[in-house]
Amino acid sequence: MPKEKESTSKIINETTVWENCLKLIRDNVNPQNFKTWFEPIKAVKLEQNTLTIEVPSQFVYEWLEEHYIGLLRKTIKRELGAEGRLEYSILMETSSQAEKPYTVKLPAKGNSGLKNPSVPMPQQISGGIRNPFIIPGLKKIDIDSQLISNYSFENLVEGDCNRLARSAGFAVAQKPGGTSFNPLLIYGSVGLGKTHLAHAIGIEIKNNFPNKTVLYVPSEKFMHQFVDAVKNNSQNDFVHFYQMMDVLIIDDIQFFTGKEKTQDVFFHIFNHLHQNNKQIILTCDKPPVDLQNMEQRLLSRFKWGLSADLQVPDLETRIAILRKKMYVDGIELSNEITEYIALSITNNIRELEGALVSIIAQSSLNKKPITLELAKQMIDKFVKNTVHEISIDYIQKIVCDYFELPLEVLKSKTRKREVVQARQLAMYFSKQLTKSSLSNIGMHCGGKDHATVLHACRTVNNLIDTDKKFKAQVADLQKRINLSR
Ligand code: ADP
Ligand code: MG
């Protein structure tokens, strides 16, 4: 392709070069990753074959280096030629001394900057947080980490819902205190795997570094210990104990809200650990910005590291989680039953597991084999206690079964007539029967926007009015959906 000729007719500046890079990158990474890692980047300078991009944090820089250096190198080379170079400008956020952005030069070919000894590590540039006088392992007592061995990475199924948090956690476990993910704050609503992930990180650190002192503590326990310490006048011991950790994991810090004294003591422990490059891992049931009655100085410290959220798992992940659990427990259930459970319980992994356990318990109590019938009865009982809202996944499944289409096809972008109609019906029923927004429904049905969903609903309504056969199909589908509720 006559690339040069084509580009001489256009203005070449940092923005156009970066836009071209983004086009190529967009084709090579999934949309969520593109949004997370590449959209926030700004191109700031283009000088003699060197493009400077501004990344929002050291964390993003490290992540790009670790995961996308190959792609970036290729892209830069394509846009700027073999001599092309990429330079990062990182907006400082992790240290109060350094207000100005600093830059790290990275060759866009050859070794990645992080591994190149001539390029200083960002941590060193940002003002010597490391303290050479602290000798690790000194005066460590043997403490029990309080980690639950089942909550390992191995048992934590990966899905889109937890990919970022899981990878960040894994990265922390390879280099506790040595990445910019400090603190690592994992947040998400109840039953989505925060506690499991927090333990997994602790376990992995213990495997990698048996001499490191790791402690998992639920925030309530931390609070009670502190209250006792105040009573017994042993506050100093309390603080010293926690300051001795190499890795401190505190679960459910939302319980610290409104507890000023606990926050105060935690603040001091936090600072001590952080200054000494000890790893802090926190979990919370909401994003830190939504924490009411939490001191600003703590909230601002949470921003020093990475906040990663856990989301509701999709159908595929829910099935994988059930399979994993069955495998660990040595149980076998048919695909039909597994799928039924996964379709019925959609937004809490603890409940998903609970349903599986109760089906198994019921079958062994009554000495009956596990049939779909039994599963349905149990789930009905189980789900009645929680509020049962039919899910988009469920509707799609029924529509697909009805038209004998694979689910992937419905979720794909194909415009084949019969698929388009099935997809429109799935959208129509989702709008009618769930509380989901139009754009959420669109996202579930092949990444369409809200206008497409609206159009689908209108089309279906029109057809119901004009096409008898179609009307009968809709009624049939409606019956099937009702039956399985
Ligand atoms: P949270 O702390 O967010 O309320 P938990 O970590 O206690 O949630 O998780 C609830 C249950 O779901 C646990 O038994 C956990 O093992 C399981 N679980 C959560 N996420 C996964 C996953 N990705 N793979 C397998 N099991 C999971
Ligand atoms: Mg928990």
Side-chain angles (χ1 to χ4, degrees), residues 155-174:
N155 289 339
L156 187 76
V157 172
E158 180 173 347
D160 285 345
C161 56
N162 62 16
R163 189 158 288 122
L164 168 62
R166 203 180 180 283
S167 331
F170 198 78
V172 161
Q174 309 313 310

Side-chain angles (χ1 to χ4, degrees), residues 261-306:
K261 294 227 172 66
T262 307
Q263 286 180 36
D264 196 46
V265 75
F266 172 58
F267 180 75
H268 288 289
I269 293 168
F270 182 104
N271 285 343
H272 180 93
L273 294 176
H274 198 273
Q275 272 159 20
N276 292 296
N277 295 312
K278 307 298 179 165
Q279 181 69 45
I280 302 149
I281 298 158
L282 308 168
T283 79
C284 186
D285 71 352
K286 45 179 93 60
V289 285
D290 292 350
L291 282 173
Q292 307 271 320
N293 296 324
M294 187 73 103
E295 278 189 51
Q296 206 49 47
R297 55 181 187 164
L298 265 180
L299 290 179
S300 78
R301 266 153 183 76
F302 297 162
K303 288 195 201 132
W304 285 3
L306 171 74

Side-chain angles (χ1 to χ4, degrees), residues 228-257:
D228 283 348
V230 173
K231 244 189 249 156
N232 303 329
N233 217 359
S234 57
Q235 275 188 63
N236 283 344
D237 293 345
F238 174 86
V239 172
H240 282 143
F241 173 76
Y242 278 100
Q243 288 183 344
M244 226 159 22
M245 301 305 146
D246 293 316
V247 178
L248 178 61
I249 306 168
I250 306 190
D251 203 358
D252 288 319
I253 52 153
Q254 70 274 10
F255 293 125
F256 284 174
T257 53

Side-chain angles (χ1 to χ4, degrees), residues 190-191 193-196 216 251-252 283 350:
V190 55
K194 301 181 293 294
T195 300
H196 189 143
Y216 166 88
D251 203 358
D252 288 319
T283 79
R350 187 174 301 124

